[in-house]
Amino acid sequence: MIAIISYFNGSQELLNCGGVVAENISVSRDGFYFIPLNRDEVPLGTQIILKQEPIDGLKKYLSNKNFQGIGPKIAHSIVQNFGMTVLKYLNQRQLNLIEEKTSKKITETLLEGWNLDYENSGFEILFSEIGFSYTQKKFVRDEFGNKFFSDVHKDPYMLLQRIPRLSFDKIESIISIFGIEVSLDQKIVAATRHALMQSEVERGNTCGPLDRVLLRTQEITKNDFETIQTAITSHEHLFNYFKVQDKEFLETIEAYQRDNDIAQQIFLIKDNFKPIEGKKFSANKNATNPLSEEQVQAIQNSLEAGVSIITGGPGTGKTRIIEGLAQVLVNGFRKTIRICAPTGRAAKRIAENQALKKFQPSTIHMLKAMIDSSAKDIEFDTLIVDESSMIDINLFNDLVKMLPLGSQLILIGDVDQLPPVGAGQPFLDLIRSKKIVVSRLSKQFRQGSDSVIPKVARAINKGELIEFSSDFSSSGFSFVEVDKGQVVEKIIEVVDFFTGNKNGSIDFEKTQILSPMRRYSSGLINLNSIMQKKYNPNGEKVFSKMEGEKEIQFCAGDKVICTQNDYDIDVRNGDIGYVVNKVGKNIRVEFDGEMKLFHNNKIDYLDLAYAITVHKSQGSEYPNVVMPIVDDHRIMLTRKLIYTAITRGKQNVCLIGSKRVLREALKKVFLNLRYSNLNQKIENANINLFHQN
């Protein structure tokens, strides 16, 4: 909690205080001061000096949902009449002074809103002045608390690495508001690192072409190239420069060290693995579900290698491969194995297989947590990882560090799917390095021989557009071409058909809507809102959360997805369930017949899931898939994204929208290309010019 103190003409005036301000505060100049009220949480004497009144922040504060009926217009008028002093009048209950220049109704509304959350008003005003989003405000309060104020004075640029989606302009605003002094070199180095981190977050790159990085730094700082290069060179300990085929690249020193660690660990695993000589695996020809020749060969390849990869498209029997591997490793080679996946949904899907359930498949995060914990000894000499194409560079770093010397790593996945949501592409990099044994699967098993979905998926993967039906009621794959304004209406019609909607009663287990983006009319935010109103109109409101400036309502009966792992209640990122009710401040959600209680501070872990992104669908399968293909989403529509969406469907896939947009998307392969240096490090071909003698 913080207080806002105004200091003018040699006197201190308390404007907002929910407690006692520390005595003997040293004030050196006119201005506004934020003083932490809880002296147990911050160093003695901590105070934040602002160069100007946070008027814009106050306007936004008085316009928030606590002050129902105020709005931006009335808030502007209040601030014009009173300035920051309105907070003192509210705190000291001098309501007559407010009423004189407004009205009784407005005064009562102000007091009611003030009473709801006055303890956090200082935070709210200051953070709104800075321009933090709702998510950023929550993050700062949860992660920093009052320490934010002392930390930001020590190093304002560290916020770029710690606060999600924070722009460089916001940092400059903070520096200006707080009057923090920074050097030109500090600014340039921070901007360069920010440019690299931005590229990592937005594009998934772990490094960047030097010319592009310098150009982005120039756009941010407005300095010339020579000044920028001089500053970067003088801080070479923060960067790594290298060349690949005469093209210059730059990466942060953290990225350099992480990728080096991964490459070294890969070779340690390879060099310390000793296969059982003369031992061959042969498929059981009499088995009910015998392995194909290419599956047998893939298993044999993996048995002989310390690190190996098995890749194949949907329906090529990757789960059957895991069954075969587990069987031969445990029974034939007397190995101790663990099976894991990057997401909870993918791990759960493995666990649903009766032959694999006994191995207790888990997420990579869960396995790491168990290994790190002293409470339980985890031993294994073989680690099998499903859906490996979804693993980003940081998670892969955690993964390889878990492996004991002498063990082996078997990675299974579809290299043609979307790259990870996070940065990097370690699965693809390992394949490209040509230092790892790779087995490729091509024969289809999943769908029936008459299914058109595998045929379409293969064509899409090649960038081809084959002829397919427009009749979603009689075809396993269909494309319904309609005008942009009719897409949402058609989605509802198709969903009704696939789910057997009768009198508004619908089973959403049968169908999943996938959308490339969150925004626009065919984005998942709008689709979720429409589906909620249509299929759950009478659901009792249970809770709400902010999506930017928009409030999202959650009602009993709503389909929801968990967006983070929570091992305390055993739910994982990607798990889909249904809201049941509210218990105190907590929310009860049903996942596959099991009740889970989400505490109030973890409600943000839930999103509506009538529609989800294609990225969130990876590792999952659905009987029916429906997806819009529209102009609004062109920036995200690529060959890999459409391929990934199509391959989620087991029985029916229906695309709705424009074939022209689809044709354009199939030509876009470059959007999925990422700059990464891991394959070069595995090949030991990178040139570290900064660190040469």
Side-chain angles (χ1 to χ4, degrees):
M1 185 165 65
I2 58 179
I4 303 175
I5 292 186
S6 173
Y7 175 76
F8 293 107
N9 302 319
S11 65
Q12 295 179 17
E13 182 183 14
L14 183 63
L15 297 180
N16 165 30
C17 181
V20 179
V21 178
E23 297 180 356
N24 302 318
I25 295 172
S26 174
V27 178
S28 59
R29 60 181 178 178
D30 294 349
F32 267 73
Y33 299 75
F34 283 71
I35 314 276
L37 298 180
N38 189 343
R39 290 291 174 177
D40 294 331
E41 295 181 10
V42 293
L44 187 64
T46 298
Q47 61 186 44
I48 294 81
I49 305 173
L50 305 185
K51 294 179 76 175
Q52 71 269 342
E53 298 181 4
I55 293 298
D56 287 339
L58 178 60
K59 288 177 187 176
K60 291 174 183 175
Y61 170 69
L62 296 176
S63 303
N64 74 32
K65 64 179 182 179
N66 286 345
F67 299 91
Q68 292 291 334
I70 296 293
K73 204 168 182 179
I74 296 175
H76 178 77
S77 175
I78 292 168
V79 173
Q80 271 196 321
N81 283 321
F82 303 101
M84 302 297 295
T85 311
V86 71
L87 301 177
K88 182 185 79 169
Y89 294 159
L90 287 169
N91 189 62
Q92 298 180 358
R93 298 298 191 268
Q94 294 176 297
L95 305 181
N96 60 311
L97 298 176
I98 301 175
E99 195 174 323
E100 283 176 6
K101 294 186 178 181
T102 57
S103 69
K104 186 175 180 178
K105 185 178 179 181
I106 288 175
T107 305
E108 289 174 349
T109 301
L110 285 171
L111 183 62
E112 187 179 341
W114 172 258
N115 287 333
L116 285 173
D117 197 29
Y118 76 94
E119 291 184 344
N120 291 311
S121 57
F123 274 116
E124 188 66 32
I125 292 167
L126 178 58
F127 293 164
S128 295
E129 181 75 13
I130 294 169
F132 282 162
S133 68
Y134 170 83
T135 305
Q136 289 168 338
K137 289 177 190 176
K138 188 176 184 304
F139 183 88
V140 170
R141 287 169 63 174
D142 291 346
E143 294 296 315
F144 289 89
N146 281 329
K147 276 187 86 275
F148 171 80
F149 304 108
S150 55
D151 287 355
V152 78
H153 270 273
K154 292 175 188 171
D155 180 13
Y157 293 117
M158 63 84 189
L159 298 177
L160 290 166
Q161 302 171 51
R162 298 187 61 184
I163 300 178
R165 300 193 176 278
L166 188 64
S167 69
F168 202 85
D169 286 345
K170 290 274 172 66
I171 292 294
E172 294 291 280
S173 174
I174 291 171
I175 290 170
S176 175
I177 290 170
F178 289 165
I180 303 170
E181 293 184 4
V182 296
S183 70
L184 179 59
D185 270 15
Q186 270 183 289
K187 182 176 180 177
I188 291 173
V189 168
T192 305
R193 289 174 62 83
H194 178 63
L196 287 165
M197 286 187 291
Q198 237 185 349
S199 180
E200 182 170 307
V201 171
E202 295 175 3
R203 299 286 185 184
N205 301 320
T206 62
C207 58
L210 182 62
D211 55 348
R212 293 191 191 181
V213 176
L214 294 178
L215 184 61
R216 179 60 186 138
T217 304
Q218 186 186 43
E219 290 171 354
I220 295 171
T221 64
K222 312 302 182 200
N223 291 110
D224 60 82
F225 282 140
E226 187 177 348
T227 303
I228 293 169
Q229 285 180 306
T230 301
I232 294 173
T233 304
S234 66
H235 290 78
E236 63 180 40
H237 61 287
L238 297 176
F239 301 97
N240 179 56
Y241 167 89
F242 62 96
K243 280 186 175 181
V244 177
Q245 296 178 349
D246 294 327
K247 191 171 180 64
E248 298 175 300
F249 288 86
L250 197 69
E251 62 188 350
T252 64
I253 198 66
E254 293 87 352
Y256 166 78
Q257 290 167 344
R258 178 198 59 211
D259 289 5
N260 255 9
D261 288 347
I262 291 172
Q264 289 175 19
Q265 192 64 20
I266 288 291
F267 279 103
L268 275 173
I269 297 167
K270 286 180 61 166
D271 293 345
N272 284 276
F273 174 74
K274 306 220 180 294
I276 301 175
E277 293 189 11
K279 192 101 172 176
K280 292 288 182 183
F281 164 64
S282 59
N284 184 1
K285 302 295 183 182
N286 300 318
T288 309
N289 186 19
L291 294 160
S292 69
E293 287 186 15
E294 70 173 6
Q295 289 175 323
V296 171
Q297 187 59 55
I299 290 174
Q300 186 62 51
N301 291 344
S302 292
L303 292 175
E304 295 172 355
V307 182
S308 63
I309 286 174
I310 301 173
T311 181
T316 53
K318 294 189 293 294
T319 302
R320 181 70 183 94
I321 284 271
I322 297 175
E323 289 178 17
L325 274 167
Q327 183 182 8
V328 71
L329 283 164
V330 173
N331 298 328
F333 286 68
R334 300 290 183 262
K335 297 281 189 177
T336 305
I337 72 169
R338 298 288 305 192
I339 303 174
C340 62
T343 67
R345 196 75 175 172
K348 189 173 182 179
R349 190 161 57 83
I350 301 169
E352 289 169 352
N353 183 298
Q354 290 303 310
L356 300 174
K357 192 174 183 179
K358 63 183 177 183
F359 297 107
Q360 299 178 312
S362 68
T363 63
I364 298 170
H365 294 92
M366 175 69 85
L367 182 59
K368 183 177 185 300
M370 288 191 291
I371 292 172
D372 291 344
S373 171
S374 57
K376 192 172 182 182
D377 234 5
I378 305 296
E379 293 184 1
F380 60 91
D381 47 35
T382 302
L383 183 61
I384 301 172
V385 188
D386 196 18
E387 298 289 354
S388 296
S389 66
M390 298 173 64
I391 304 174
D392 64 34
I393 193 71
N394 292 311
L395 185 57
F396 193 71
N397 189 29
D398 289 339
L399 176 71
V400 295
K401 285 179 178 176
M402 292 190 295
L403 289 155
L405 287 179
S407 62
Q408 65 184 142
L409 174 64
I410 303 172
L411 301 169
I412 299 172
D414 183 356
V415 73
D416 294 318
Q417 282 192 38
L418 284 169
V421 174
Q425 47 189 15
F427 190 68
L428 179 60
D429 280 342
L430 287 174
I431 294 173
R432 285 178 171 173
S433 74
K434 298 181 180 173
K435 300 290 185 179
I436 307 299
V437 173
V438 179
S439 303
R440 299 180 185 272
L441 306 175
S442 58
K443 188 176 178 180
Q444 292 285 331
F445 295 95
R446 180 193 294 164
Q447 294 95 347
S449 57
D450 59 341
S451 175
V452 72
I453 294 176
K455 183 181 177 184
V456 173
R458 287 195 296 272
I460 292 289
N461 197 32
K462 295 176 184 176
E464 300 171 357
L465 189 62
I466 63 175
E467 290 296 321
F468 35 68
S469 175
S470 61
D471 183 5
F472 60 84
S473 65
S474 62
S475 173
F477 184 92
S478 57
F479 193 111
V480 183
E481 190 160 22
V482 295
D483 292 336
K484 178 180 168 181
Q486 300 173 299
V487 169
V488 175
E489 182 182 343
K490 184 57 69 173
I491 287 174
I492 294 171
E493 182 185 340
V494 175
V495 168
D496 276 353
F497 177 80
F498 283 162
T499 53
N501 181 27
K502 295 179 181 177
N503 302 318
S505 176
I506 190 165
D507 180 6
F508 257 99
E509 292 288 332
K510 294 181 180 178
T511 299
Q512 185 60 61
I513 302 170
L514 303 180
S515 182
M517 294 179 69
R518 302 182 69 84
R519 295 183 297 146
Y520 304 111
S521 62
S522 298
L524 66 88
I525 293 175
N526 187 54
L527 286 173
N528 274 322
S529 176
I530 289 170
M531 296 295 159
Q532 183 189 52
K533 289 172 184 172
K534 179 173 173 62
Y535 298 115
N536 192 25
N538 302 315
E540 181 185 355
K541 181 184 171 183
V542 175
F543 71 101
S544 65
K545 71 174 191 176
M546 300 301 294
E547 176 81 34
E549 301 300 317
K550 182 179 174 65
E551 186 178 22
I552 308 294
Q553 305 277 353
F554 292 77
C555 305
D558 276 336
K559 184 180 182 181
V560 292
I561 184 170
C562 184
T563 60
Q564 296 192 47
N565 295 316
D566 188 338
Y567 301 119
D568 293 336
I569 59 173
D570 192 27
V571 293
R572 297 171 178 85
N573 186 358
D575 282 356
I576 289 179
Y578 293 85
V579 177
V580 178
N581 59 6
K582 191 171 184 178
V583 183
K585 292 184 177 181
N586 306 320
I587 308 301
R588 183 182 282 122
V589 182
E590 181 183 352
F591 293 93
D592 294 328
E594 293 184 23
M595 297 297 175
K596 306 293 183 180
L597 201 63
F598 282 78
H599 293 285
N600 184 49
N601 63 343
K602 294 183 177 178
I603 288 173
D604 280 347
Y605 288 11
L606 297 172
D607 275 341
L608 290 173
Y610 299 98
I612 63 174
T613 63
V614 180
H615 284 87
K616 278 293 181 189
S617 75
Q618 290 195 89
S620 300
E621 296 174 346
Y622 315 97
N624 307 295
V625 166
V626 183
M627 180 179 172
I629 305 288
V630 295
D631 267 313
D632 289 340
H633 296 164
R634 287 169 67 188
I635 191 171
M636 288 295 294
L637 286 169
T638 63
R639 186 187 301 177
K640 282 197 176 217
L641 186 132
I642 294 168
Y643 170 83
T644 302
I646 288 172
T647 55
R648 299 309 89 205
K650 296 174 70 176
Q651 298 170 13
N652 296 286
V653 174
C654 180
L655 306 183
I656 301 171
S658 167
K659 285 185 181 178
R660 172 185 58 80
V661 174
L662 177 62
R663 282 193 293 270
E664 290 176 5
L666 297 188
K667 297 175 184 176
K668 290 194 288 187
V669 189
F670 66 93
L671 288 181
N672 295 120
L673 298 178
R674 294 182 169 186
Y675 292 113
S676 168
N677 195 28
L678 179 60
N679 65 318
Q680 299 293 324
K681 286 189 169 68
I682 292 173
E683 292 177 23
N684 201 28
N686 68 305
I687 303 171
N688 183 1
L689 298 185
F690 271 171
H691 301 283
Q692 284 183 339
N693 294 322

